[in-house]
Amino acid sequence: MQNLFWAVVGKIVNLISGLLVGIIVARYLGPKDYGLMNYVISYVFLFQTFALFGLDAIEIREEARKEIPFQKIIGTAFGIKMIFGLCFIVLVIMTSLGMEADFYTTLLTAIYSLTIVANTMTVSRNYFTAIVQNEFVVKAEIISTLVSIFVKVLLLLAGASLTWFLTAYMLDAVFIAIAYLIAYKRRIGPIGDWNFDRHYATFLIKESFPLMLTNAAVIIYQRIDQVMIGQIIDKESVGFFSVASRFVEVLIYIPMILAQTITPVLVSIREKSQQEYIAKAQQFMNISLWLSIIAAAATSVLAYWIIMLTFGSVYLPAVAILQVMSFKAASVALSNTAGAMLVTEGLQRYAIFRDGFGCLVCILLNYLLLPRYGILAAAFVAIASNLAAGYLADAFIPAYRHLFTRQTKALLWGWKDLKHIKSNLR
C-alpha cells in the first residue's frame, strides 16, 4: 500500500507541476507555436517505443522473480536500449527530412530526439519498481521536476523562443535520468556493477519483442492523432488538441500507474494462489475503471471552466475536445489493468493482435473523419481505438477471452468495489 501511495502521489505531483508549467508556456507561445512543439514531441514519441523495445515490463518481471543477478538484468537491458536508441535517433531525423516541408520543424525534431537516449536510464527506475520501493525514485522525480520548472521560468523571464523551450523539454529527460542514477547509486550500488550479457540479451529481446510490437501499436494509436492533425489540418489545431490532452494525461495516469505497480504484486500472488490472484486482479480492475469513470464525468462537466481558468480564452476550442476525450481515461483503465495481467500470465505474445487492431481503427477513423469533422473527431477516435484494442479485441482472441469476461464484469458490477476501496487495495 505504501509503495502504491508513493507511486501515485509522486507522479501526480509531477503531472500537476508539468500541467502548470504547460499552461504558462502555452499562454506564452500561443496556439500555433504550442501546437508545433507538441507535434514534434508526438512525432518523436512514435519512435521512442521502438527504442525502448518493450523491455520495461519484462525487466520488472524478471527482477521481481529474483532468479538471476539484477545487475545482469539491468546492464543487459540498458545496453539493448542504448543501441536501439542511437539507431532510432538517426531514423527520426531522416524520416522528418522526408516528410516536412520546412527545415525548422526537422531541426526541432532533431533536438528533441535526444530524449530517446536519455530515457534509457529508466532501467534503474524499473528496479525500484520490481523491489516495491518507489519512494526513492519518486523523490528523485520530484527534485528533477523542480529543476525543470526553474529552467522554464528562466526562459519565460528571458523571452526565449520556441527552440529554447523545446530544448528545455528535451533536458527534462536528462534531468530525470541523472536523478534516477543518483537514487540508484545511493540506495542500491554503483552502476559499474551492471554487466551486459550477450546470451541474456537474446533472451530479453525474444521475450520483449511481442511487447515492443504491442507498445508500438499502442503508442501509434495514442499519439498518431496529433501527428495526423498536424499533417491533415494544421499545427494550430494540434495546439488545441494538446491542451485537452494535458488534462486527460492527468486523468489516465492513475490507471497507468496502478497497472505498472500491481504487476510485481500480482506475480507474487499468482505464485502462491491462483484463486487469490484472480480475485485481487478483478478488484484492481474494478477500482481502476470506476475511479476513472467518476473522474472523467467530473472533468467533462467542468471542461469550460477548466480551460478558461487555466489556458485562457484563446484556447476555448479545446473545451469540446476535453468534454469528449476525458472519457478516454476509462478506456485506458479497462485496457491497462488487463495488460498487467497479460504480462503476469505470460500471454504478452498475443497482445500485438489486440493493439494492432486498435492501431488500425485509430489510423483508419482519423483518416476518414478528420478532413470532414475536424479535431473533435480525433477525440471520439481516441476513445474508440482504446476500446477496440483494450476490450473488444479480447473477445476475438481465444487466449484473452477470460480477460474480456473480467472486463465486462468490471463494467457491469465493478462499482460495487468502490464501497470497500481501502480494504481492496491492501
Side-chain angles (χ1 to χ4, degrees):
M1 186 65 181
Q2 183 179 3
N3 182 63
L4 181 60
F5 169 80
W6 277 104
V8 173
V9 171
K11 189 61 178 182
I12 286 177
V13 169
N14 291 338
L15 280 172
I16 292 176
S17 299
L19 177 61
L20 292 176
V21 173
I23 290 169
I24 297 172
V25 172
R27 282 176 172 266
Y28 173 80
L29 293 177
K32 185 177 180 180
D33 280 352
Y34 186 66
L36 176 56
M37 183 178 74
N38 280 277
Y39 170 82
V40 169
I41 291 173
S42 295
Y43 184 77
V44 173
F45 205 77
L46 292 177
F47 292 85
Q48 175 71 64
T49 186
F50 292 99
L52 295 177
F53 210 78
L55 282 166
D56 288 344
I58 301 301
E59 180 193 345
I60 292 171
R61 187 194 70 186
E62 293 302 304
E63 289 165 351
R65 287 176 173 173
K66 301 179 181 179
E67 294 178 353
I68 63 174
F70 67 87
Q71 295 92 341
K72 179 176 169 180
I73 300 174
I74 298 176
T76 305
F78 173 74
I80 296 171
K81 286 184 177 183
M82 182 60 71
I83 293 170
F84 281 103
L86 293 173
C87 292
F88 276 99
I89 284 178
V90 175
L91 188 59
V92 166
I93 297 172
M94 290 178 62
T95 54
S96 180
L97 283 171
M99 289 177 60
E100 298 299 331
D102 63 300
F103 178 77
Y104 182 56
T105 301
T106 299
L107 174 63
L108 295 178
T109 302
I111 292 172
Y112 192 73
S113 68
L114 297 177
T115 58
I116 296 177
V117 170
N119 284 332
T120 58
M121 292 303 165
T122 54
V123 293
S124 55
R125 189 195 198 285
N126 292 337
Y127 181 67
F128 284 103
T129 300
I131 61 176
V132 198
Q133 292 185 15
N134 279 328
E135 174 184 354
F136 306 113
V137 291
V138 167
K139 291 178 179 178
E141 287 170 350
I142 291 175
I143 292 172
S144 66
T145 298
L146 294 176
V147 173
S148 170
I149 292 172
F150 178 73
V151 170
K152 292 183 179 68
V153 169
L154 287 180
L155 292 176
L156 286 167
L157 294 175
S161 66
L162 171 60
T163 304
W164 284 106
F165 275 99
L166 195 69
T167 301
Y169 276 97
M170 180 273 292
L171 290 175
D172 288 348
V174 176
F175 295 151
I176 195 64
I178 294 172
Y180 287 155
L181 288 177
I182 293 174
Y184 181 91
K185 185 176 180 180
R186 288 184 176 180
R187 295 293 176 178
I188 309 300
I191 63 173
D193 291 341
W194 296 357
N195 60 87
F196 181 87
D197 186 288
R198 187 161 50 88
H199 298 292
Y200 190 64
T202 302
F203 167 77
L204 286 182
I205 290 174
K206 287 181 179 179
E207 286 291 299
S208 61
F209 184 71
L211 281 180
M212 186 274 290
L213 295 177
T214 299
N215 291 342
V218 171
I219 293 302
I220 288 174
Y221 73 72
Q222 295 288 355
R223 289 281 187 165
I224 195 68
D225 43 18
Q226 296 190 38
V227 175
M228 293 185 74
I229 289 170
Q231 291 286 336
I232 296 175
I233 305 177
D234 53 46
K235 303 299 190 294
E236 185 178 42
S237 295
V238 179
F240 298 133
F241 192 85
S242 299
V243 164
S245 298
R246 279 283 184 174
F247 295 102
V248 175
E249 285 171 5
V250 176
L251 287 175
I252 67 176
Y253 179 73
I254 293 179
M256 288 179 66
I257 196 61
L258 276 171
Q260 184 183 38
T261 304
I262 67 172
T263 298
V265 177
L266 292 179
V267 169
S268 177
I269 294 175
R270 188 168 183 261
E271 291 177 352
K272 297 176 182 177
S273 170
Q274 178 70 14
Q275 186 176 0
E276 183 182 356
Y277 160 74
I278 293 174
K280 185 61 69 174
Q282 185 70 60
Q283 290 169 356
F284 272 116
M285 182 180 289
N286 295 346
I287 291 170
S288 178
L289 172 63
W290 282 93
L291 284 179
S292 298
I293 290 175
I294 293 170
T299 302
S300 183
V301 171
L302 300 173
Y304 174 83
W305 294 108
I306 290 174
I307 299 295
M308 187 65 182
L309 296 175
T310 54
F311 287 87
S313 59
V314 70
Y315 286 99
L316 282 179
V319 170
I321 302 170
L322 180 58
Q323 287 176 326
V324 173
M325 203 163 63
S326 60
F327 288 94
K328 176 182 175 180
S331 63
V332 170
L334 199 62
S335 175
N336 281 20
T337 312
M341 295 169 66
L342 295 182
V343 175
T344 302
E345 298 172 18
L347 297 173
Q348 65 270 12
R349 60 187 177 277
Y350 302 113
I352 181 58
F353 298 108
R354 75 198 292 255
D355 294 306
F357 178 56
C359 181
L360 180 63
V361 169
C362 179
I363 294 175
L364 181 61
L365 290 183
N366 272 315
Y367 179 78
L368 294 174
L369 300 180
L370 274 179
R372 181 174 297 182
Y373 300 105
I375 53 177
L376 187 59
F380 283 100
V381 172
I383 299 172
S385 56
N386 268 282
L387 287 175
Y391 176 54
L392 296 178
D394 292 341
F396 301 100
I397 302 173
Y400 292 171
R401 282 177 187 157
H402 67 293
L403 294 178
F404 178 78
T405 300
R406 294 174 189 173
Q407 290 170 308
T408 303
K409 289 180 179 179
L411 284 167
L412 296 177
W413 302 294
W415 57 271
K416 294 180 180 180
D417 273 336
L418 293 178
K419 298 178 182 179
H420 312 287
I421 185 170
K422 186 175 181 179
S423 61
N424 285 331
L425 286 175
R426 287 176 182 170

